[in-house]
Amino acid sequence: MEKFIVQHCAPLRGTVRISGAKNAALPILAACLLTREPCLIQNVPPLTDIFAMIALLEGFGAKASFDTSAQTVSVRAETLSAPSASYDAAGKMRASFLAAGPLLARLQSASLPLPGGCQIGSRPIDLHLKGFSLMGVSSRQEHGIVDLWCKSLRGKPIYLDFPSVGATENIMMAAVLAKGTTIIENAAAEPEIMDLADFLRKMGADIQGDGTDTITIRGVKELTGATHTVIPDRIEAGTFMAAAAITGGEICLEGMGEDLLKPVIAKLAECNVKTETSPEGLVVCRKGRLRPANLKTMPFPGFPTDMQAPFMSLLTLAKGTSVITETIFENRFIHAGELQRMGARIKIESRSAVIEGVEELTGASVRATDLRAGAALILSALAAKGETEISDIYHIERGYHQIDEKLRRLGADIRRAQSS
């Protein structure tokens, strides 16, 4: 097992290229199962979750190859040999259940383990199953396996009780080959939804309304192959923006615009962090002491839950009291205890965290409890006095490609070492 050793650093400066969005690439790769023809997906980050999704597709009988240097994935699902996946192939990754919609569309059946991933709270699949049921799908859950089957998929109006990203994506992918029209109301509107819809349209799907709360999908008889470039990762971008802010530096996010990051930019402005658009990309810098801010995580276009932990790190050094309210996941404050080991003053009250800013953090031995918590610990370690050791970094590498190398190019003192 590896760990990161991070020393206090000077303000970070320079330019960083943001990788493709993992949360956009995963459903797009799953959507490649919808066609017999070859698909080429570009700007795919070589992350453990991506490799897991590719292995999952291969388990269904698709042929897939990943050129990690070019960051392109080629997939051809000309024939699908089986609609089922083992726990080893699917159970460790939340996005594995996104194969259900495409498998139902192609084979009228699917058998998948209940999804895994970071332990940040309950992430049930009930909304996925509700949507599928309305489309004519029967389901059974036994021994951690979800079996799904139908005679044919039928387009139907579907209202989601919560704008779930995963349920919206899964229903969209099932609906593109269903008979009739599917209307998803209270749909998620995240940029990753729009990226998936763009890919499906390139394949010949008839989709309208993505990016709003009502998405209309008219089923077609078949889809073709397509080439698609994945959007940049707005959470990685937000993390590097927070890195500029917490170290008092200036970082240019190469090629990034404001569209994907408006809620993060707005909260950074409250914290005394300036963001400007330049010909090279988005430039982030901090002038003076960090100011406190209150924030509440919400579905897009609200403040993203994946940026909650990095912002908590930032607010531990703000002058004053901040309050973070987490509305998406009920168990997403585990990192607060690790930040307290570094001297942060944080009090958890149900789904809110009250943060009293301190003058400085100090290095300590801490553990990444999940993906975004790990990123938050790196941020705090950059600003903390002394040395910080971060263990269980495999969580971080599920969502950040070469984050240590990117930070070193900006002036950070971070290195890998073997855990004892």
Side-chain angles (χ1 to χ4, degrees):
M1 299 288 285
E2 289 187 318
K3 61 184 176 181
F4 284 141
I5 298 178
V6 188
Q7 306 285 347
H8 174 82
C9 72
L12 299 182
R13 300 190 183 279
T15 299
V16 62
R17 181 187 174 277
I18 301 302
S19 301
K22 178 196 79 161
N23 289 339
L26 289 170
I28 287 170
L29 289 173
C32 293
L33 295 174
L34 289 164
T35 179
R36 298 175 181 274
E37 298 184 9
C39 297
L40 181 67
I41 314 302
Q42 302 168 325
N43 197 33
V44 180
L47 301 168
T48 53
D49 276 11
I50 298 293
F51 287 107
M53 178 60 79
I54 291 171
L56 188 69
L57 301 184
E58 292 174 330
F60 297 131
K63 297 186 183 301
S65 63
F66 192 0
D67 184 338
T68 54
S69 59
Q71 300 197 2
T72 60
V73 180
S74 301
V75 181
R76 183 160 191 168
E78 185 173 4
T79 58
L80 296 178
S81 57
S84 60
S86 67
Y87 177 80
D88 286 342
K92 299 177 182 178
M93 178 180 58
R94 173 68 181 173
S96 63
F97 202 71
L98 292 174
L103 289 173
L104 286 168
R106 277 284 298 273
L107 302 176
Q108 291 74 57
S109 65
S111 181
L112 296 163
L114 287 169
C118 290
Q119 301 304 307
I120 56 177
S122 175
R123 299 198 280 186
I125 58 170
D126 57 323
L127 295 179
H128 302 241
L129 299 181
K130 174 184 176 181
F132 290 153
S133 176
L134 290 169
M135 299 174 74
V137 177
S138 299
S139 65
R140 177 179 59 241
Q141 293 185 49
E142 289 182 349
H143 310 297
I145 302 295
V146 183
D147 292 316
L148 303 161
W149 67 94
C150 63
K151 290 183 178 179
S152 64
L153 287 170
R154 302 186 303 272
K156 292 287 183 178
I158 297 170
Y159 178 83
L160 296 179
D161 297 325
F162 178 84
S164 161
V165 173
T168 301
E169 292 169 337
N170 233 341
I171 295 167
M172 281 173 58
M173 290 187 285
V176 291
L177 292 178
K179 295 177 181 178
T181 300
T182 300
I183 300 173
I184 309 173
E185 296 185 272
N186 199 30
E190 271 75 359
E192 294 79 12
I193 299 283
M194 299 173 67
D195 205 31
L196 173 61
D198 284 343
F199 175 58
L200 292 171
R201 279 190 287 264
K202 290 177 182 177
M203 299 171 76
D206 185 347
I207 301 174
Q208 295 178 326
D210 50 291
T212 75
D213 62 0
T214 303
I215 302 176
T216 302
I217 307 108
R218 295 175 178 85
V220 299
K221 289 186 177 180
E222 63 180 6
L223 298 177
T224 65
T227 298
H228 183 76
T229 301
V230 174
I231 60 172
D233 191 323
R234 61 193 173 102
I235 305 304
E236 182 187 11
T239 302
F240 277 95
M241 295 170 82
I246 202 166
T247 65
E250 181 173 312
I251 296 176
C252 176
L253 309 180
E254 183 181 344
M256 288 294 299
E258 295 183 357
D259 289 350
L260 300 176
L261 295 161
K262 288 181 179 178
V264 174
I265 291 171
K267 282 300 169 184
L268 284 173
E270 290 184 31
C271 296
N272 199 27
V273 180
K274 187 177 181 182
T275 305
E276 290 185 337
T277 300
S278 76
E280 292 75 29
L282 211 55
V283 179
V284 186
C285 65
R286 187 190 95 202
K287 305 295 184 184
R289 178 81 185 266
L290 285 167
R291 293 195 293 256
N294 298 333
L295 65 90
K296 178 187 291 187
T297 63
M298 298 287 287
F300 190 86
F303 191 88
T305 181
D306 282 349
M307 280 302 302
Q308 178 258 109
F311 251 76
M312 184 179 287
S313 288
L314 196 64
L315 295 172
T316 62
L317 291 172
K319 188 176 182 179
T321 303
S322 303
V323 179
I324 296 177
T325 302
E326 173 60 59
T327 71
I328 309 298
F329 295 114
E330 75 277 9
N331 196 29
R332 207 161 197 183
F333 287 144
I334 301 176
H335 54 280
E338 300 301 303
L339 292 175
Q340 288 169 337
R341 292 170 61 85
M342 302 178 71
R345 294 178 184 171
I346 305 168
K347 183 179 180 181
I348 307 300
E349 299 177 352
S350 185
R351 287 205 170 198
S352 292
V354 180
I355 304 139
E356 297 285 347
V358 297
E359 289 295 325
E360 68 176 15
L361 299 172
T362 56
S365 294
V366 292
R367 180 175 66 91
T369 54
D370 62 71
L371 167 56
R372 306 306 174 185
L377 293 175
I378 290 177
L379 295 177
S380 290
L382 294 172
K385 181 180 179 181
E387 180 178 279
T388 301
E389 291 189 4
I390 305 172
S391 60
D392 290 356
I393 64 172
Y394 64 90
H395 285 298
I396 302 169
E397 298 187 321
R398 288 184 52 240
Y400 294 91
H401 177 50
Q402 297 179 338
I403 189 170
D404 52 331
E405 292 186 22
K406 290 182 177 181
L407 286 169
R408 278 195 294 272
R409 287 196 286 269
L410 297 170
D413 186 344
I414 176 173
R415 62 183 175 87
R416 292 171 182 267
Q418 290 295 320
S419 297
S420 55

